[in-house]
PDB file of all heavy atoms in Angstrom:
ATOM      1  N   LYS A1162      -0.278 -17.955   3.433  1.00 96.00           N
ATOM      2  CA  LYS A1162       0.745 -16.992   3.871  1.00 96.00           C
ATOM      3  C   LYS A1162       2.100 -17.321   3.251  1.00 96.00           C
ATOM      4  O   LYS A1162       2.855 -16.428   2.854  1.00 96.00           O
ATOM      5  CB  LYS A1162       0.845 -16.992   5.398  1.00 96.00           C
ATOM      6  CG  LYS A1162      -0.396 -16.485   6.107  1.00 96.00           C
ATOM      7  CD  LYS A1162      -0.204 -16.540   7.614  1.00 96.00           C
ATOM      8  CE  LYS A1162      -1.450 -16.096   8.360  1.00 96.00           C
ATOM      9  NZ  LYS A1162      -1.270 -16.186   9.835  1.00 96.00           N
ATOM     10  N   ILE A1163       2.428 -18.615   3.186  1.00 96.00           N
ATOM     11  CA  ILE A1163       3.695 -19.012   2.573  1.00 96.00           C
ATOM     12  C   ILE A1163       3.723 -18.621   1.103  1.00 96.00           C
ATOM     13  O   ILE A1163       4.742 -18.135   0.586  1.00 96.00           O
ATOM     14  CB  ILE A1163       3.925 -20.527   2.745  1.00 96.00           C
ATOM     15  CG1 ILE A1163       4.268 -20.851   4.197  1.00 96.00           C
ATOM     16  CG2 ILE A1163       5.039 -21.023   1.822  1.00 96.00           C
ATOM     17  CD1 ILE A1163       4.575 -22.311   4.456  1.00 96.00           C
ATOM     18  N   MET A1166       4.476 -15.027   0.874  1.00 96.00           N
ATOM     19  CA  MET A1166       5.876 -14.758   1.206  1.00 96.00           C
ATOM     20  C   MET A1166       6.799 -15.163   0.058  1.00 96.00           C
ATOM     21  O   MET A1166       7.758 -14.456  -0.262  1.00 96.00           O
ATOM     22  CB  MET A1166       6.270 -15.503   2.482  1.00 96.00           C
ATOM     23  CG  MET A1166       5.728 -14.887   3.747  1.00 96.00           C
ATOM     24  SD  MET A1166       6.452 -13.248   4.040  1.00 96.00           S
ATOM     25  CE  MET A1166       5.412 -12.696   5.404  1.00 96.00           C
ATOM     26  N   GLN A1167       6.519 -16.284  -0.559  1.00 96.00           N
ATOM     27  CA  GLN A1167       7.357 -16.736  -1.673  1.00 96.00           C
ATOM     28  C   GLN A1167       7.274 -15.766  -2.843  1.00 96.00           C
ATOM     29  O   GLN A1167       8.264 -15.567  -3.554  1.00 96.00           O
ATOM     30  CB  GLN A1167       6.938 -18.144  -2.092  1.00 96.00           C
ATOM     31  CG  GLN A1167       7.310 -19.211  -1.076  1.00 96.00           C
ATOM     32  CD  GLN A1167       6.775 -20.582  -1.409  1.00 96.00           C
ATOM     33  OE1 GLN A1167       5.765 -20.708  -2.111  1.00 96.00           O
ATOM     34  NE2 GLN A1167       7.414 -21.627  -0.922  1.00 96.00           N
ATOM     35  N   VAL A1170       9.498 -12.951  -2.001  1.00 96.00           N
ATOM     36  CA  VAL A1170      10.895 -13.355  -2.250  1.00 96.00           C
ATOM     37  C   VAL A1170      11.224 -13.199  -3.732  1.00 96.00           C
ATOM     38  O   VAL A1170      12.301 -12.716  -4.097  1.00 96.00           O
ATOM     39  CB  VAL A1170      11.126 -14.807  -1.792  1.00 96.00           C
ATOM     40  CG1 VAL A1170      12.487 -15.316  -2.265  1.00 96.00           C
ATOM     41  CG2 VAL A1170      11.034 -14.916  -0.275  1.00 96.00           C
ATOM     42  N   ASN A1290      13.328 -11.214   7.871  1.00 95.00           N
ATOM     43  CA  ASN A1290      13.823 -11.906   6.682  1.00 95.00           C
ATOM     44  C   ASN A1290      12.752 -12.837   6.125  1.00 95.00           C
ATOM     45  O   ASN A1290      12.138 -13.611   6.865  1.00 95.00           O
ATOM     46  CB  ASN A1290      15.079 -12.705   7.040  1.00 95.00           C
ATOM     47  CG  ASN A1290      15.658 -13.433   5.843  1.00 95.00           C
ATOM     48  OD1 ASN A1290      15.309 -14.569   5.575  1.00 95.00           O
ATOM     49  ND2 ASN A1290      16.557 -12.777   5.115  1.00 95.00           N
ATOM     50  N   LEU A1291      12.519 -12.773   4.829  1.00 96.00           N
ATOM     51  CA  LEU A1291      11.406 -13.508   4.236  1.00 96.00           C
ATOM     52  C   LEU A1291      11.595 -15.025   4.310  1.00 96.00           C
ATOM     53  O   LEU A1291      10.643 -15.766   4.567  1.00 96.00           O
ATOM     54  CB  LEU A1291      11.213 -13.065   2.784  1.00 96.00           C
ATOM     55  CG  LEU A1291      10.835 -11.591   2.583  1.00 96.00           C
ATOM     56  CD1 LEU A1291      10.557 -11.310   1.115  1.00 96.00           C
ATOM     57  CD2 LEU A1291       9.620 -11.220   3.422  1.00 96.00           C
ATOM     58  N   GLN A1292      12.807 -15.488   4.072  1.00 95.00           N
ATOM     59  CA  GLN A1292      13.044 -16.928   4.166  1.00 95.00           C
ATOM     60  C   GLN A1292      12.855 -17.417   5.598  1.00 95.00           C
ATOM     61  O   GLN A1292      12.311 -18.508   5.828  1.00 95.00           O
ATOM     62  CB  GLN A1292      14.452 -17.265   3.670  1.00 95.00           C
ATOM     63  CG  GLN A1292      14.676 -17.022   2.188  1.00 95.00           C
ATOM     64  CD  GLN A1292      13.861 -17.969   1.314  1.00 95.00           C
ATOM     65  OE1 GLN A1292      13.263 -18.930   1.787  1.00 95.00           O
ATOM     66  NE2 GLN A1292      13.833 -17.699   0.018  1.00 95.00           N
ATOM     67  N   ALA A1293      13.275 -16.608   6.570  1.00 96.00           N
ATOM     68  CA  ALA A1293      13.057 -16.981   7.968  1.00 96.00           C
ATOM     69  C   ALA A1293      11.569 -16.973   8.291  1.00 96.00           C
ATOM     70  O   ALA A1293      11.079 -17.844   9.035  1.00 96.00           O
ATOM     71  CB  ALA A1293      13.800 -16.019   8.884  1.00 96.00           C
ATOM     72  N   GLU A1294      10.837 -16.013   7.730  1.00 96.00           N
ATOM     73  CA  GLU A1294       9.400 -15.964   7.968  1.00 96.00           C
ATOM     74  C   GLU A1294       8.696 -17.174   7.357  1.00 96.00           C
ATOM     75  O   GLU A1294       7.749 -17.720   7.948  1.00 96.00           O
ATOM     76  CB  GLU A1294       8.828 -14.668   7.383  1.00 96.00           C
ATOM     77  CG  GLU A1294       7.348 -14.466   7.637  1.00 96.00           C
ATOM     78  CD  GLU A1294       7.002 -14.368   9.114  1.00 96.00           C
ATOM     79  OE1 GLU A1294       7.898 -14.024   9.924  1.00 96.00           O
ATOM     80  OE2 GLU A1294       5.843 -14.640   9.468  1.00 96.00           O
ATOM     81  N   ILE A1295       9.144 -17.601   6.183  1.00 96.00           N
ATOM     82  CA  ILE A1295       8.576 -18.811   5.572  1.00 96.00           C
ATOM     83  C   ILE A1295       8.795 -20.018   6.480  1.00 96.00           C
ATOM     84  O   ILE A1295       7.883 -20.829   6.689  1.00 96.00           O
ATOM     85  CB  ILE A1295       9.195 -19.045   4.183  1.00 96.00           C
ATOM     86  CG1 ILE A1295       8.682 -17.995   3.186  1.00 96.00           C
ATOM     87  CG2 ILE A1295       8.881 -20.449   3.673  1.00 96.00           C
ATOM     88  CD1 ILE A1295       9.350 -18.048   1.838  1.00 96.00           C
ATOM     89  N   GLN A1296       9.993 -20.139   7.027  1.00 96.00           N
ATOM     90  CA  GLN A1296      10.273 -21.260   7.929  1.00 96.00           C
ATOM     91  C   GLN A1296       9.486 -21.135   9.234  1.00 96.00           C
ATOM     92  O   GLN A1296       9.093 -22.142   9.836  1.00 96.00           O
ATOM     93  CB  GLN A1296      11.776 -21.339   8.228  1.00 96.00           C
ATOM     94  CG  GLN A1296      12.618 -21.708   7.030  1.00 96.00           C
ATOM     95  CD  GLN A1296      12.228 -23.049   6.435  1.00 96.00           C
ATOM     96  OE1 GLN A1296      11.855 -23.973   7.145  1.00 96.00           O
ATOM     97  NE2 GLN A1296      12.303 -23.157   5.121  1.00 96.00           N
ATOM     98  N   ARG A1297       9.229 -19.893   9.654  1.00 97.00           N
ATOM     99  CA  ARG A1297       8.429 -19.688  10.862  1.00 97.00           C
ATOM    100  C   ARG A1297       6.988 -20.176  10.644  1.00 97.00           C
ATOM    101  O   ARG A1297       6.387 -20.817  11.521  1.00 97.00           O
ATOM    102  CB  ARG A1297       8.459 -18.214  11.231  1.00 97.00           C
ATOM    103  CG  ARG A1297       7.943 -17.901  12.627  1.00 97.00           C
ATOM    104  CD  ARG A1297       8.195 -16.448  12.997  1.00 97.00           C
ATOM    105  NE  ARG A1297       9.599 -16.212  13.308  1.00 97.00           N
ATOM    106  CZ  ARG A1297      10.423 -15.473  12.552  1.00 97.00           C
ATOM    107  NH1 ARG A1297       9.984 -14.907  11.438  1.00 97.00           N
ATOM    108  NH2 ARG A1297      11.682 -15.312  12.915  1.00 97.00           N
ATOM    109  N   ILE A1298       6.453 -19.879   9.472  1.00 97.00           N
ATOM    110  CA  ILE A1298       5.099 -20.350   9.145  1.00 97.00           C
ATOM    111  C   ILE A1298       5.099 -21.867   8.981  1.00 97.00           C
ATOM    112  O   ILE A1298       4.163 -22.556   9.402  1.00 97.00           O
ATOM    113  CB  ILE A1298       4.602 -19.666   7.863  1.00 97.00           C
ATOM    114  CG1 ILE A1298       4.512 -18.145   8.066  1.00 97.00           C
ATOM    115  CG2 ILE A1298       3.235 -20.200   7.464  1.00 97.00           C
ATOM    116  CD1 ILE A1298       4.193 -17.378   6.799  1.00 97.00           C
ATOM    117  N   ALA A1299       6.165 -22.401   8.370  1.00 96.00           N
ATOM    118  CA  ALA A1299       6.270 -23.852   8.210  1.00 96.00           C
ATOM    119  C   ALA A1299       6.301 -24.549   9.569  1.00 96.00           C
ATOM    120  O   ALA A1299       5.742 -25.649   9.730  1.00 96.00           O
ATOM    121  CB  ALA A1299       7.521 -24.196   7.404  1.00 96.00           C
ATOM    122  N   LYS A1300       6.946 -23.905  10.546  1.00 97.00           N
ATOM    123  CA  LYS A1300       6.961 -24.469  11.913  1.00 97.00           C
ATOM    124  C   LYS A1300       5.543 -24.486  12.481  1.00 97.00           C
ATOM    125  O   LYS A1300       5.124 -25.464  13.142  1.00 97.00           O
ATOM    126  CB  LYS A1300       7.881 -23.633  12.803  1.00 97.00           C
ATOM    127  CG  LYS A1300       7.827 -23.970  14.290  1.00 97.00           C
ATOM    128  CD  LYS A1300       8.244 -25.390  14.575  1.00 97.00           C
ATOM    129  CE  LYS A1300       8.454 -25.623  16.066  1.00 97.00           C
ATOM    130  NZ  LYS A1300       7.283 -25.311  16.900  1.00 97.00           N
TER     131      LYS A1300
END
Side-chain angles (χ1 to χ4, degrees):
K1162 294 179 182 178
I1163 288 183
M1166 285 294 171
Q1167 289 174 335
V1170 170
N1290 181 270
L1291 297 185
Q1292 293 293 350
E1294 183 62 23
I1295 289 174
Q1296 293 301 325
R1297 193 172 285 112
I1298 298 173
K1300 171 61 169 57

